[in-house]
Amino acid sequence: MASTNRSPFERLRNQYNEVDLVCPKCGYDDADGEWQAVTTGGVVQYRHICPSCGSIRRRTISLGP
Ligand SMILES: [Zn+2]
């Protein structure tokens, strides 16, 4: 089992920035954009704003416990 020094937080962020920058509403591929993460308490909120149509996507992830 390989271990990694990268935090789950970082891994998730990179995952979003690599695979999920296409706006589901207008299909715009925001290749230069990124999900912005805000950490509050044990929760991480991700936000992506489509530069084409302005649609805002939000995701909240609990880092638990
Ligand atoms: Zn859009």
Side-chain angles (χ1 to χ4, degrees):
M1 189 179 285
S3 68
T4 171
N5 290 328
R6 304 178 75 184
S7 68
F9 173 85
E10 242 180 274
R11 280 171 53 199
L12 276 170
R13 187 163 189 263
N14 288 338
Q15 215 167 45
Y16 281 149
N17 284 330
E18 277 165 23
V19 304
D20 197 9
L21 287 168
V22 178
C23 176
K25 279 199 177 172
C26 70
Y28 182 83
D29 186 355
D30 187 15
D32 293 328
E34 64 173 9
W35 285 81
Q36 297 178 335
V38 178
T39 310
T40 48
V43 170
V44 183
Q45 290 186 315
Y46 291 90
R47 191 179 62 170
H48 177 258
I49 303 174
C50 174
S52 179
C53 73
S55 169
I56 299 175
R57 286 185 286 163
R58 285 194 186 88
R59 285 186 190 173
T60 303
I61 293 167
S62 173
L63 294 178

Short mmCIF file of all heavy atoms in Angstrom, two decimals:
data_model
loop_
_atom_site.label_atom_id
_atom_site.label_comp_id
_atom_site.label_asym_id
_atom_site.label_seq_id
_atom_site.Cartn_x
_atom_site.Cartn_y
_atom_site.Cartn_z
N MET A 1 0.85 -1.20 0.00
CA MET A 1 0.00 0.00 0.00
C MET A 1 0.89 1.25 0.00
O MET A 1 1.67 1.47 0.91
CB MET A 1 -0.90 -0.01 1.24
CG MET A 1 -1.96 1.07 1.21
SD MET A 1 -3.01 0.98 2.67
CE MET A 1 -4.01 -0.46 2.27
N ALA A 2 0.82 2.03 -0.99
CA ALA A 2 1.66 3.23 -1.09
C ALA A 2 1.14 4.32 -0.17
O ALA A 2 -0.05 4.57 -0.07
CB ALA A 2 1.66 3.72 -2.53
N SER A 3 2.07 4.97 0.48
CA SER A 3 1.68 6.09 1.33
C SER A 3 2.01 7.39 0.61
O SER A 3 2.88 7.45 -0.26
CB SER A 3 2.40 6.03 2.67
OG SER A 3 3.77 6.26 2.48
N THR A 4 1.34 8.44 1.00
CA THR A 4 1.58 9.73 0.37
C THR A 4 1.59 10.81 1.42
O THR A 4 0.91 10.72 2.44
CB THR A 4 0.51 10.03 -0.69
OG1 THR A 4 0.68 11.36 -1.12
CG2 THR A 4 -0.88 9.86 -0.12
N ASN A 5 2.40 11.82 1.19
CA ASN A 5 2.47 12.93 2.13
C ASN A 5 1.45 14.02 1.82
O ASN A 5 1.31 14.97 2.56
CB ASN A 5 3.87 13.54 2.12
CG ASN A 5 4.89 12.58 2.74
OD1 ASN A 5 4.57 11.83 3.65
ND2 ASN A 5 6.10 12.61 2.23
N ARG A 6 0.78 13.86 0.72
CA ARG A 6 -0.17 14.91 0.33
C ARG A 6 -1.46 14.74 1.12
O ARG A 6 -1.94 13.63 1.34
CB ARG A 6 -0.46 14.81 -1.16
CG ARG A 6 0.81 14.88 -1.97
CD ARG A 6 0.52 14.73 -3.43
NE ARG A 6 -0.05 15.95 -3.97
CZ ARG A 6 -0.46 16.06 -5.23
NH1 ARG A 6 -0.41 15.05 -6.03
NH2 ARG A 6 -0.94 17.18 -5.67
N SER A 7 -1.98 15.85 1.55
CA SER A 7 -3.20 15.81 2.34
C SER A 7 -4.40 15.52 1.45
O SER A 7 -4.36 15.78 0.25
CB SER A 7 -3.40 17.15 3.03
OG SER A 7 -3.67 18.14 2.08
N PRO A 8 -5.46 14.97 2.02
CA PRO A 8 -6.69 14.74 1.26
C PRO A 8 -7.21 16.03 0.67
O PRO A 8 -7.75 16.07 -0.44
CB PRO A 8 -7.67 14.19 2.31
CG PRO A 8 -6.85 13.83 3.49
CD PRO A 8 -5.55 14.57 3.42
N PHE A 9 -7.03 17.10 1.40
CA PHE A 9 -7.44 18.42 0.96
C PHE A 9 -6.80 18.78 -0.37
O PHE A 9 -7.45 19.15 -1.33
CB PHE A 9 -7.02 19.42 2.05
CG PHE A 9 -7.23 20.87 1.68
CD1 PHE A 9 -8.45 21.47 1.87
CD2 PHE A 9 -6.19 21.61 1.16
CE1 PHE A 9 -8.63 22.80 1.54
CE2 PHE A 9 -6.36 22.93 0.83
CZ PHE A 9 -7.59 23.54 1.02
N GLU A 10 -5.50 18.60 -0.44
CA GLU A 10 -4.76 18.93 -1.65
C GLU A 10 -5.13 18.01 -2.80
O GLU A 10 -5.28 18.44 -3.93
CB GLU A 10 -3.26 18.78 -1.38
CG GLU A 10 -2.48 20.06 -1.52
CD GLU A 10 -1.02 19.83 -1.23
OE1 GLU A 10 -0.64 19.89 -0.05
OE2 GLU A 10 -0.29 19.56 -2.18
N ARG A 11 -5.28 16.75 -2.46
CA ARG A 11 -5.60 15.80 -3.51
C ARG A 11 -6.95 16.10 -4.14
O ARG A 11 -7.12 16.05 -5.34
CB ARG A 11 -5.57 14.38 -2.95
CG ARG A 11 -4.14 13.84 -2.86
CD ARG A 11 -4.09 12.53 -2.12
NE ARG A 11 -5.02 11.56 -2.68
CZ ARG A 11 -5.43 10.50 -2.03
NH1 ARG A 11 -4.99 10.25 -0.82
NH2 ARG A 11 -6.28 9.66 -2.58
N LEU A 12 -7.92 16.42 -3.30
CA LEU A 12 -9.24 16.75 -3.81
C LEU A 12 -9.19 17.99 -4.68
O LEU A 12 -9.80 18.06 -5.73
CB LEU A 12 -10.20 16.98 -2.65
CG LEU A 12 -10.82 15.72 -2.07
CD1 LEU A 12 -11.55 16.05 -0.79
CD2 LEU A 12 -11.78 15.11 -3.07
N ARG A 13 -8.46 18.98 -4.21
CA ARG A 13 -8.37 20.23 -4.94
C ARG A 13 -7.77 19.98 -6.32
O ARG A 13 -8.27 20.46 -7.32
CB ARG A 13 -7.51 21.21 -4.14
CG ARG A 13 -7.50 22.59 -4.72
CD ARG A 13 -7.01 23.59 -3.68
NE ARG A 13 -7.19 24.96 -4.17
CZ ARG A 13 -6.21 25.65 -4.75
NH1 ARG A 13 -5.04 25.11 -4.90
NH2 ARG A 13 -6.43 26.87 -5.18
N ASN A 14 -6.70 19.22 -6.35
CA ASN A 14 -6.08 18.93 -7.62
C ASN A 14 -7.00 18.13 -8.52
O ASN A 14 -7.03 18.33 -9.73
CB ASN A 14 -4.77 18.15 -7.41
CG ASN A 14 -3.69 19.04 -6.83
OD1 ASN A 14 -3.76 20.26 -6.96
ND2 ASN A 14 -2.70 18.44 -6.20
N GLN A 15 -7.76 17.26 -7.91
CA GLN A 15 -8.70 16.46 -8.67
C GLN A 15 -9.71 17.35 -9.39
O GLN A 15 -9.96 17.20 -10.57
CB GLN A 15 -9.43 15.53 -7.72
CG GLN A 15 -9.76 14.18 -8.31
CD GLN A 15 -10.18 13.21 -7.21
OE1 GLN A 15 -10.97 13.57 -6.35
NE2 GLN A 15 -9.68 12.01 -7.24
N TYR A 16 -10.25 18.29 -8.66
CA TYR A 16 -11.22 19.20 -9.25
C TYR A 16 -10.59 20.01 -10.36
O TYR A 16 -11.15 20.18 -11.44
CB TYR A 16 -11.76 20.17 -8.20
CG TYR A 16 -12.81 19.54 -7.30
CD1 TYR A 16 -12.95 19.95 -5.99
CD2 TYR A 16 -13.66 18.56 -7.79
CE1 TYR A 16 -13.89 19.38 -5.17
CE2 TYR A 16 -14.60 17.99 -6.98
CZ TYR A 16 -14.72 18.39 -5.67
OH TYR A 16 -15.66 17.83 -4.85
N ASN A 17 -9.41 20.53 -10.08
CA ASN A 17 -8.78 21.41 -11.05
C ASN A 17 -8.35 20.67 -12.30
O ASN A 17 -8.15 21.28 -13.35
CB ASN A 17 -7.58 22.12 -10.41
CG ASN A 17 -8.04 23.24 -9.48
OD1 ASN A 17 -9.08 23.84 -9.71
ND2 ASN A 17 -7.26 23.51 -8.46
N GLU A 18 -8.22 19.36 -12.18
CA GLU A 18 -7.80 18.62 -13.36
C GLU A 18 -8.98 18.14 -14.17
O GLU A 18 -8.93 18.11 -15.39
CB GLU A 18 -6.95 17.42 -12.95
CG GLU A 18 -5.49 17.80 -12.71
CD GLU A 18 -4.73 16.72 -11.97
OE1 GLU A 18 -5.15 15.56 -12.02
OE2 GLU A 18 -3.73 17.05 -11.33
N VAL A 19 -10.04 17.76 -13.50
CA VAL A 19 -11.09 17.08 -14.24
C VAL A 19 -12.41 17.83 -14.31
O VAL A 19 -13.26 17.50 -15.13
CB VAL A 19 -11.38 15.67 -13.66
CG1 VAL A 19 -10.10 14.86 -13.64
CG2 VAL A 19 -11.98 15.76 -12.30
N ASP A 20 -12.60 18.81 -13.49
CA ASP A 20 -13.94 19.37 -13.40
C ASP A 20 -13.98 20.88 -13.58
O ASP A 20 -14.47 21.61 -12.75
CB ASP A 20 -14.56 18.99 -12.06
CG ASP A 20 -16.08 19.17 -12.08
OD1 ASP A 20 -16.62 19.42 -13.16
OD2 ASP A 20 -16.70 19.08 -11.02
N LEU A 21 -13.43 21.34 -14.68
CA LEU A 21 -13.47 22.77 -14.95
C LEU A 21 -14.42 23.09 -16.10
O LEU A 21 -14.46 24.21 -16.59
CB LEU A 21 -12.05 23.28 -15.27
CG LEU A 21 -11.13 23.35 -14.04
CD1 LEU A 21 -9.70 23.58 -14.46
CD2 LEU A 21 -11.58 24.44 -13.08
N VAL A 22 -15.17 22.09 -16.51
CA VAL A 22 -16.13 22.32 -17.58
C VAL A 22 -17.49 22.68 -16.99
O VAL A 22 -18.03 21.94 -16.17
CB VAL A 22 -16.26 21.07 -18.49
CG1 VAL A 22 -17.30 21.31 -19.56
CG2 VAL A 22 -14.92 20.74 -19.11
N CYS A 23 -18.01 23.81 -17.39
CA CYS A 23 -19.29 24.26 -16.87
C CYS A 23 -20.41 23.35 -17.36
O CYS A 23 -20.55 23.12 -18.56
CB CYS A 23 -19.55 25.69 -17.33
SG CYS A 23 -21.17 26.29 -16.85
N PRO A 24 -21.22 22.80 -16.44
CA PRO A 24 -22.31 21.92 -16.82
C PRO A 24 -23.45 22.67 -17.50
O PRO A 24 -24.30 22.06 -18.15
CB PRO A 24 -22.76 21.30 -15.50
CG PRO A 24 -22.34 22.28 -14.45
CD PRO A 24 -21.10 22.96 -14.97
N LYS A 25 -23.48 23.96 -17.34
CA LYS A 25 -24.59 24.74 -17.91
C LYS A 25 -24.34 25.10 -19.37
O LYS A 25 -25.20 24.94 -20.22
CB LYS A 25 -24.82 25.99 -17.09
CG LYS A 25 -25.65 25.71 -15.85
CD LYS A 25 -26.26 26.98 -15.29
CE LYS A 25 -27.14 26.65 -14.09
NZ LYS A 25 -27.60 27.86 -13.41
N CYS A 26 -23.17 25.67 -19.63
CA CYS A 26 -22.91 26.14 -20.99
C CYS A 26 -21.82 25.34 -21.69
O CYS A 26 -21.58 25.52 -22.88
CB CYS A 26 -22.55 27.62 -20.99
SG CYS A 26 -20.92 27.97 -20.27
N GLY A 27 -21.14 24.46 -20.95
CA GLY A 27 -20.14 23.62 -21.56
C GLY A 27 -18.79 24.28 -21.74
O GLY A 27 -17.89 23.72 -22.36
N TYR A 28 -18.64 25.47 -21.19
CA TYR A 28 -17.37 26.19 -21.32
C TYR A 28 -16.27 25.48 -20.53
O TYR A 28 -16.45 25.12 -19.38
CB TYR A 28 -17.54 27.62 -20.81
CG TYR A 28 -16.29 28.45 -20.94
CD1 TYR A 28 -15.97 29.08 -22.14
CD2 TYR A 28 -15.42 28.62 -19.86
CE1 TYR A 28 -14.82 29.85 -22.26
CE2 TYR A 28 -14.27 29.38 -19.97
CZ TYR A 28 -13.98 29.99 -21.19
OH TYR A 28 -12.84 30.74 -21.30
N ASP A 29 -15.13 25.30 -21.19
CA ASP A 29 -14.00 24.65 -20.54
C ASP A 29 -13.06 25.71 -19.99
O ASP A 29 -12.29 26.31 -20.71
CB ASP A 29 -13.28 23.76 -21.55
CG ASP A 29 -12.18 22.93 -20.88
OD1 ASP A 29 -11.93 23.11 -19.67
OD2 ASP A 29 -11.57 22.10 -21.58
N ASP A 30 -13.13 25.91 -18.68
CA ASP A 30 -12.35 26.96 -18.05
C ASP A 30 -10.95 26.43 -17.70
O ASP A 30 -10.60 26.27 -16.54
CB ASP A 30 -13.08 27.44 -16.79
CG ASP A 30 -12.40 28.65 -16.16
OD1 ASP A 30 -11.57 29.28 -16.84
OD2 ASP A 30 -12.70 28.96 -15.00
N ALA A 31 -10.18 26.20 -18.74
CA ALA A 31 -8.87 25.55 -18.56
C ALA A 31 -7.92 26.39 -17.73
O ALA A 31 -7.02 25.86 -17.08
CB ALA A 31 -8.26 25.24 -19.92
N ASP A 32 -8.09 27.69 -17.75
CA ASP A 32 -7.20 28.56 -16.99
C ASP A 32 -7.73 28.86 -15.60
O ASP A 32 -7.07 29.52 -14.80
CB ASP A 32 -7.00 29.89 -17.72
CG ASP A 32 -6.23 29.69 -19.02
OD1 ASP A 32 -5.38 28.77 -19.05
OD2 ASP A 32 -6.48 30.42 -19.99
N GLY A 33 -8.92 28.40 -15.33
CA GLY A 33 -9.54 28.69 -14.04
C GLY A 33 -9.21 27.63 -13.02
O GLY A 33 -8.44 26.71 -13.27
N GLU A 34 -9.81 27.77 -11.87
CA GLU A 34 -9.59 26.78 -10.82
C GLU A 34 -10.70 26.86 -9.78
O GLU A 34 -11.40 27.86 -9.67
CB GLU A 34 -8.25 27.00 -10.13
CG GLU A 34 -8.17 28.34 -9.39
CD GLU A 34 -6.90 28.46 -8.59
OE1 GLU A 34 -6.03 27.60 -8.73
OE2 GLU A 34 -6.80 29.42 -7.81
N TRP A 35 -10.83 25.78 -9.06
CA TRP A 35 -11.73 25.78 -7.91
C TRP A 35 -11.02 26.50 -6.78
O TRP A 35 -9.87 26.22 -6.46
CB TRP A 35 -12.05 24.34 -7.49
CG TRP A 35 -13.01 23.66 -8.41
CD1 TRP A 35 -12.70 23.07 -9.60
CD2 TRP A 35 -14.40 23.49 -8.20
NE1 TRP A 35 -13.83 22.54 -10.15
CE2 TRP A 35 -14.90 22.77 -9.32
CE3 TRP A 35 -15.30 23.85 -7.20
CZ2 TRP A 35 -16.24 22.43 -9.44
CZ3 TRP A 35 -16.63 23.51 -7.33
CH2 TRP A 35 -17.10 22.80 -8.43
N GLN A 36 -11.74 27.40 -6.16
CA GLN A 36 -11.17 28.10 -5.02
C GLN A 36 -11.68 27.45 -3.74
O GLN A 36 -12.88 27.19 -3.61
CB GLN A 36 -11.56 29.57 -5.06
CG GLN A 36 -10.99 30.25 -6.29
CD GLN A 36 -11.39 31.70 -6.37
OE1 GLN A 36 -12.41 32.11 -5.84
NE2 GLN A 36 -10.58 32.49 -7.05
N ALA A 37 -10.77 27.20 -2.83
CA ALA A 37 -11.14 26.50 -1.61
C ALA A 37 -11.08 27.43 -0.42
O ALA A 37 -10.15 28.22 -0.27
CB ALA A 37 -10.20 25.32 -1.38
N VAL A 38 -12.11 27.36 0.39
CA VAL A 38 -12.14 28.11 1.64
C VAL A 38 -12.37 27.12 2.77
O VAL A 38 -13.33 26.35 2.75
CB VAL A 38 -13.26 29.17 1.64
CG1 VAL A 38 -13.29 29.90 2.97
CG2 VAL A 38 -13.06 30.14 0.50
N THR A 39 -11.49 27.14 3.73
CA THR A 39 -11.61 26.21 4.84
C THR A 39 -12.20 26.91 6.06
O THR A 39 -11.72 27.94 6.49
CB THR A 39 -10.24 25.64 5.23
OG1 THR A 39 -9.60 25.16 4.06
CG2 THR A 39 -10.40 24.50 6.21
N THR A 40 -13.27 26.35 6.55
CA THR A 40 -13.87 26.89 7.77
C THR A 40 -14.16 25.74 8.71
O THR A 40 -14.95 24.87 8.37
CB THR A 40 -15.19 27.63 7.45
OG1 THR A 40 -15.97 26.81 6.60
CG2 THR A 40 -14.92 28.96 6.78
N GLY A 41 -13.51 25.76 9.86
CA GLY A 41 -13.69 24.65 10.78
C GLY A 41 -13.20 23.37 10.13
O GLY A 41 -12.13 23.33 9.56
N GLY A 42 -13.99 22.33 10.18
CA GLY A 42 -13.60 21.07 9.57
C GLY A 42 -14.20 20.88 8.20
O GLY A 42 -14.30 19.78 7.70
N VAL A 43 -14.59 22.00 7.59
CA VAL A 43 -15.27 21.91 6.31
C VAL A 43 -14.53 22.72 5.25
O VAL A 43 -14.05 23.81 5.51
CB VAL A 43 -16.72 22.44 6.45
CG1 VAL A 43 -17.38 22.57 5.09
CG2 VAL A 43 -17.53 21.54 7.35
N VAL A 44 -14.43 22.14 4.07
CA VAL A 44 -13.84 22.86 2.95
C VAL A 44 -14.92 23.17 1.93
O VAL A 44 -15.66 22.29 1.51
CB VAL A 44 -12.73 22.03 2.26
CG1 VAL A 44 -12.08 22.84 1.15
CG2 VAL A 44 -11.69 21.62 3.28
N GLN A 45 -15.00 24.44 1.58
CA GLN A 45 -15.97 24.82 0.56
C GLN A 45 -15.23 25.17 -0.72
O GLN A 45 -14.33 26.01 -0.72
CB GLN A 45 -16.78 26.02 1.03
CG GLN A 45 -17.73 25.67 2.17
CD GLN A 45 -18.62 26.84 2.53
OE1 GLN A 45 -18.15 27.96 2.63
NE2 GLN A 45 -19.90 26.58 2.70
N TYR A 46 -15.61 24.52 -1.79
CA TYR A 46 -15.03 24.80 -3.09
C TYR A 46 -16.01 25.61 -3.92
O TYR A 46 -17.21 25.37 -3.89
CB TYR A 46 -14.73 23.50 -3.82
CG TYR A 46 -13.61 22.70 -3.21
CD1 TYR A 46 -13.87 21.74 -2.24
CD2 TYR A 46 -12.29 22.90 -3.60
CE1 TYR A 46 -12.85 21.00 -1.67
CE2 TYR A 46 -11.27 22.17 -3.04
CZ TYR A 46 -11.56 21.22 -2.07
OH TYR A 46 -10.55 20.49 -1.51
N ARG A 47 -15.45 26.53 -4.70
CA ARG A 47 -16.31 27.35 -5.53
C ARG A 47 -15.67 27.55 -6.89
O ARG A 47 -14.48 27.81 -7.00
CB ARG A 47 -16.55 28.71 -4.88
CG ARG A 47 -17.64 29.51 -5.54
CD ARG A 47 -17.82 30.82 -4.83
NE ARG A 47 -16.59 31.62 -4.92
CZ ARG A 47 -16.52 32.89 -4.55
NH1 ARG A 47 -17.56 33.49 -4.03
NH2 ARG A 47 -15.40 33.56 -4.66
N HIS A 48 -16.48 27.41 -7.91
CA HIS A 48 -16.00 27.70 -9.26
C HIS A 48 -17.02 28.57 -9.97
O HIS A 48 -18.20 28.25 -10.00
CB HIS A 48 -15.79 26.41 -10.05
CG HIS A 48 -15.37 26.65 -11.47
ND1 HIS A 48 -16.23 26.56 -12.54
CD2 HIS A 48 -14.17 27.03 -11.99
CE1 HIS A 48 -15.58 26.86 -13.64
NE2 HIS A 48 -14.33 27.14 -13.35
N ILE A 49 -16.53 29.66 -10.52
CA ILE A 49 -17.41 30.56 -11.26
C ILE A 49 -17.07 30.47 -12.74
O ILE A 49 -15.94 30.69 -13.14
CB ILE A 49 -17.22 32.01 -10.78
CG1 ILE A 49 -17.46 32.09 -9.26
CG2 ILE A 49 -18.17 32.93 -11.53
CD1 ILE A 49 -17.14 33.46 -8.68
N CYS A 50 -18.08 30.15 -13.54
CA CYS A 50 -17.88 30.06 -14.97
C CYS A 50 -17.70 31.46 -15.56
O CYS A 50 -18.58 32.31 -15.40
CB CYS A 50 -19.07 29.36 -15.61
SG CYS A 50 -18.98 29.36 -17.42
N PRO A 51 -16.58 31.71 -16.23
CA PRO A 51 -16.34 33.04 -16.80
C PRO A 51 -17.21 33.31 -18.02
O PRO A 51 -17.30 34.44 -18.48
CB PRO A 51 -14.85 32.99 -17.18
CG PRO A 51 -14.54 31.56 -17.36
CD PRO A 51 -15.47 30.78 -16.46
N SER A 52 -17.82 32.29 -18.54
CA SER A 52 -18.63 32.44 -19.73
C SER A 52 -20.07 32.83 -19.40
O SER A 52 -20.60 33.81 -19.90
CB SER A 52 -18.62 31.15 -20.55
OG SER A 52 -19.43 31.29 -21.69
N CYS A 53 -20.71 32.06 -18.50
CA CYS A 53 -22.12 32.32 -18.20
C CYS A 53 -22.34 32.79 -16.76
O CYS A 53 -23.43 33.17 -16.39
CB CYS A 53 -22.97 31.08 -18.49
SG CYS A 53 -22.76 29.75 -17.28
N GLY A 54 -21.28 32.76 -15.94
CA GLY A 54 -21.41 33.26 -14.57
C GLY A 54 -22.00 32.27 -13.61
O GLY A 54 -22.25 32.59 -12.45
N SER A 55 -22.22 31.06 -14.06
CA SER A 55 -22.79 30.05 -13.18
C SER A 55 -21.81 29.71 -12.06
O SER A 55 -20.62 29.52 -12.29
CB SER A 55 -23.10 28.79 -14.00
OG SER A 55 -23.40 27.71 -13.15
N ILE A 56 -22.33 29.65 -10.86
CA ILE A 56 -21.48 29.34 -9.70
C ILE A 56 -21.78 27.94 -9.21
O ILE A 56 -22.92 27.59 -8.93
CB ILE A 56 -21.73 30.35 -8.56
CG1 ILE A 56 -21.39 31.77 -9.03
CG2 ILE A 56 -20.88 29.98 -7.35
CD1 ILE A 56 -21.73 32.84 -8.00
N ARG A 57 -20.74 27.16 -9.13
CA ARG A 57 -20.87 25.82 -8.56
C ARG A 57 -20.21 25.80 -7.20
O ARG A 57 -19.15 26.37 -7.01
CB ARG A 57 -20.20 24.79 -9.48
CG ARG A 57 -20.99 24.52 -10.72
CD ARG A 57 -20.34 23.41 -11.50
NE ARG A 57 -19.11 23.85 -12.18
CZ ARG A 57 -18.18 23.01 -12.64
NH1 ARG A 57 -18.33 21.73 -12.51
NH2 ARG A 57 -17.12 23.49 -13.24
N ARG A 58 -20.85 25.12 -6.28
CA ARG A 58 -20.28 25.02 -4.94
C ARG A 58 -20.25 23.57 -4.49
O ARG A 58 -21.18 22.82 -4.77
CB ARG A 58 -21.12 25.82 -3.94
CG ARG A 58 -20.94 27.30 -4.03
CD ARG A 58 -21.54 27.97 -2.80
NE ARG A 58 -21.50 29.42 -2.91
CZ ARG A 58 -22.45 30.15 -3.47
NH1 ARG A 58 -23.51 29.56 -3.97
NH2 ARG A 58 -22.33 31.45 -3.54
N ARG A 59 -19.20 23.24 -3.79
CA ARG A 59 -19.14 21.92 -3.20
C ARG A 59 -18.60 22.03 -1.79
O ARG A 59 -17.66 22.77 -1.55
CB ARG A 59 -18.25 20.99 -4.03
CG ARG A 59 -18.97 20.57 -5.28
CD ARG A 59 -18.21 19.57 -6.05
NE ARG A 59 -18.87 19.43 -7.36
CZ ARG A 59 -18.39 18.73 -8.35
NH1 ARG A 59 -17.25 18.11 -8.23
NH2 ARG A 59 -19.04 18.64 -9.47
N THR A 60 -19.19 21.33 -0.91
CA THR A 60 -18.74 21.35 0.47
C THR A 60 -18.28 19.95 0.86
O THR A 60 -18.98 18.98 0.63
CB THR A 60 -19.86 21.80 1.41
OG1 THR A 60 -20.33 23.08 0.97
CG2 THR A 60 -19.36 21.92 2.82
N ILE A 61 -17.10 19.89 1.40
CA ILE A 61 -16.56 18.61 1.80
C ILE A 61 -16.16 18.66 3.26
O ILE A 61 -15.45 19.58 3.68
CB ILE A 61 -15.33 18.25 0.93
CG1 ILE A 61 -15.80 18.02 -0.50
CG2 ILE A 61 -14.62 17.03 1.48
CD1 ILE A 61 -14.67 17.96 -1.48
N SER A 62 -16.65 17.70 3.99
CA SER A 62 -16.28 17.63 5.40
C SER A 62 -14.99 16.83 5.55
O SER A 62 -14.87 15.74 5.01
CB SER A 62 -17.41 16.97 6.19
OG SER A 62 -16.97 16.75 7.52
N LEU A 63 -14.05 17.42 6.24
CA LEU A 63 -12.79 16.71 6.45
C LEU A 63 -12.88 15.78 7.65
O LEU A 63 -11.98 15.02 7.90
CB LEU A 63 -11.66 17.72 6.68
CG LEU A 63 -11.32 18.61 5.48
CD1 LEU A 63 -10.23 19.57 5.85
CD2 LEU A 63 -10.87 17.77 4.29
N GLY A 64 -13.98 15.87 8.38
CA GLY A 64 -14.20 15.04 9.53
C GLY A 64 -13.02 15.07 10.51
O GLY A 64 -12.00 15.60 10.14
N PRO A 65 -13.11 14.51 11.64
CA PRO A 65 -14.21 13.80 12.27
C PRO A 65 -15.32 14.76 12.73
O PRO A 65 -15.05 15.92 12.88
CB PRO A 65 -13.54 13.14 13.48
CG PRO A 65 -12.45 14.08 13.84
CD PRO A 65 -11.96 14.64 12.52
ZN ZN B 1 -21.02 28.41 -18.01
#
